[in-house]
Amino acid sequence: MNNELAVRRKVGIEMEGYIENYPEDVELVGVKIKQDGSLDNCDWDYLNEPFGVELCTEPMTDISLLREVWKDMKHNNWTVDDRAGTHIHVDVSDFSVEEKVKLLRFGKGIERIIFLFVDDYRNNNEYCYPLHKEWRKVFRGDNKYADIDWNSITDDEFEGVNEYLYQRFRNPDRYYSDREQVIWNGKYQWMNIFGSRYPTVEYRLYQAVEDVEVLIQQALMSEAIVNLVKNHSLAQLEYIIRELYKQETVDATVEMFFETLGLDFKLEVRGERAQKYLAGKLAAKNAVSEVVEQGA
C-alpha cells in the first residue's frame, strides 16, 4: 500500500463520464460500470457515439488504486463534460446521529469555501444544492432545535431524521411542494448523509475530471473533513470556522483551510462565482473590523 495515499476510512467513488468502447465489453478491476440517466447516450443505444457511464469503485483505503483504474480508463478514451459529476462516499459508520448532525453544521459553515474548488456549473446545481441554512442553528442556544435528542432518532431510510424533522417543524396549514421549507438533508444536497443508501457521507459537489491526481485530492480532502469533525468538539469546529473567515484574502483562507485539514496540497480554485462571493464577504468583514479598531 502507498502509505502517502492510505486513508483511515473507506472511500468509494462514483465517476460520471464517457467511454468509446461498448460498456458491456469493458472490464475494469474493482469498478462496476453502470448507466446514468443524467448523461448523453445513457442507454447505450447509439453505437457511433461515446457511451455515458457511471463508474463505481469498491470501497478502498488505498487511494492510489485510482491510478491503476485510470490506466484502463485511458484505454477506453475516458472523457467528461458539464453534465457529468463525481460523487465521493466516505465511511461514517462510527458516527452517531448527533455526530452526523455536527458534520452537517460544519459543512454548512465551510460551504462558501468548499465551492471554491469546483467549476461554476456545480454551484447550486440541481444535483448538489447547498445545505439547508438551518443546519447552522442546531446546537446553538435556546432555539427550536435545543431540546432534540438526536441520538434517540432512528437513522434509517424511511423513518429517520428527515421524517422526524418534517413532522415536527412543518406548518400543517401550509402546502409544501417539496421539503425546502423544513430543515432536511438528502440526495440532492452537496453533502448527503441522511439520504445516503450507505453508512457514508456522500460529497456530490465535485465536477467530473480527466486528471486522476485531481480526483485523488478530492477524495483526500473529503476524508480529511470527516476526520476533523470526528476528532474535534463543536466549540473547536466553530473556532476553526471563525478563523477561516477572519482571513484577509481568499488565498489566505484557502491556505488555512488545507493546513487545518492536515493536507500538504491545495486544490485549484476553480469556482469564479464562489471566489467573487467569498472575496466580497471577507472584504466586508475586514472593513467592519477596521472601523471597530479605529473607534476603540
Side-chain angles (χ1 to χ4, degrees):
M1 179 181 291
N2 183 337
N3 290 331
E4 179 187 355
L5 297 180
V7 290
R8 285 178 267 175
R9 299 175 178 275
K10 290 183 179 179
V11 174
I13 299 177
E14 301 165 359
M15 300 165 283
E16 298 167 356
Y18 301 88
I19 56 177
E20 292 191 356
N21 296 323
Y22 190 70
E24 291 183 359
D25 296 334
V26 174
E27 291 187 9
L28 299 174
V29 177
V31 175
K32 294 180 180 178
I33 303 177
K34 300 181 180 180
Q35 294 177 332
D36 188 286
S38 65
L39 303 174
D40 291 328
N41 198 15
C42 60
D43 295 324
W44 309 343
D45 292 332
Y46 301 101
L47 301 184
N48 294 323
E49 298 180 9
F51 301 96
V53 295
E54 180 181 69
L55 307 181
C56 304
T57 73
E58 296 177 355
M60 54 190 162
T61 54
D62 182 6
I63 305 299
S64 66
L65 294 174
L66 289 172
R67 290 174 177 151
E68 298 303 314
V69 172
W70 227 253
K71 292 177 183 178
D72 292 333
M73 288 165 60
K74 287 295 184 183
H75 293 155
N76 290 281
N77 295 318
W78 171 258
T79 57
V80 301
D81 63 12
D82 62 7
R83 299 185 62 143
T86 299
H87 303 167
I88 297 177
H89 288 260
V90 180
D91 177 37
V92 290
S93 59
D94 60 332
F95 271 53
S96 67
V97 175
E98 185 172 292
E99 287 174 319
K100 292 176 181 178
V101 172
K102 186 174 70 166
L103 178 55
L104 287 170
R105 177 182 163 120
F106 184 73
K108 186 62 180 177
I110 63 170
E111 196 169 76
R112 295 172 185 168
I113 298 170
I114 200 164
F115 272 93
L116 293 169
F117 312 119
V118 298
D119 291 339
D120 280 343
Y121 79 90
R122 301 302 293 175
N123 195 326
N124 207 25
N125 183 287
E126 63 180 317
Y127 297 109
C128 54
Y129 285 120
L131 291 172
H132 197 287
K133 62 183 180 182
E134 294 283 297
W135 288 115
R136 288 296 297 154
K137 295 182 180 180
V138 298
F139 307 127
R140 176 176 290 175
D142 186 16
N143 61 29
K144 62 184 179 181
Y145 306 114
D147 64 346
I148 296 178
D149 180 1
W150 294 99
N151 288 333
S152 69
I153 304 173
T154 303
D155 182 17
D156 61 46
E157 186 174 358
F158 300 105
E159 296 180 357
V161 172
N162 282 321
E163 186 64 22
Y164 170 88
L165 293 171
Y166 182 68
Q167 295 299 332
R168 176 161 177 175
F169 297 115
R170 72 185 178 93
N171 183 345
D173 298 323
R174 180 174 179 177
Y175 173 74
Y176 292 94
S177 59
D178 55 39
R179 298 191 177 185
E180 274 301 321
Q181 302 302 319
V182 177
I183 184 172
W184 68 289
N185 175 245
K187 181 177 179 180
Y188 294 117
Q189 292 177 326
W190 72 265
M191 176 182 277
N192 169 28
I193 300 176
F194 293 126
S196 178
R197 295 170 293 170
Y198 311 106
T200 64
V201 53
E202 178 188 19
Y203 294 81
R204 299 178 57 88
L205 75 158
Y206 300 117
Q207 73 278 351
V209 297
E210 296 178 0
D211 183 348
V212 68
E213 298 306 317
V214 174
L215 180 61
I216 286 172
Q217 291 181 347
Q218 291 172 342
L220 292 174
M221 181 178 73
S222 300
E223 196 240 2
I225 291 171
V226 174
N227 289 331
L228 184 76
V229 172
K230 181 67 175 180
N231 297 323
H232 290 78
S233 69
L234 183 64
Q236 290 171 323
L237 294 172
E238 287 303 294
Y239 175 80
I240 289 170
I241 290 173
R242 287 195 302 271
E243 291 301 306
L244 285 169
Y245 291 112
K246 284 182 180 178
Q247 304 305 302
E248 293 186 359
T249 65
V250 171
D251 287 344
T253 301
V254 170
E255 186 79 30
M256 181 183 176
F257 181 67
F258 283 95
E259 286 180 0
T260 301
L261 293 177
L263 299 174
D264 60 2
F265 63 82
K266 292 181 292 186
L267 277 166
E268 177 188 0
V269 173
R270 305 171 64 104
E272 293 183 6
R273 287 171 55 195
Q275 186 174 11
K276 183 177 179 180
Y277 183 78
L278 181 57
K281 289 292 183 181
L282 294 176
K285 283 193 173 185
N286 289 331
V288 171
S289 297
E290 288 179 9
V291 170
V292 172
E293 288 177 4
Q294 290 171 5

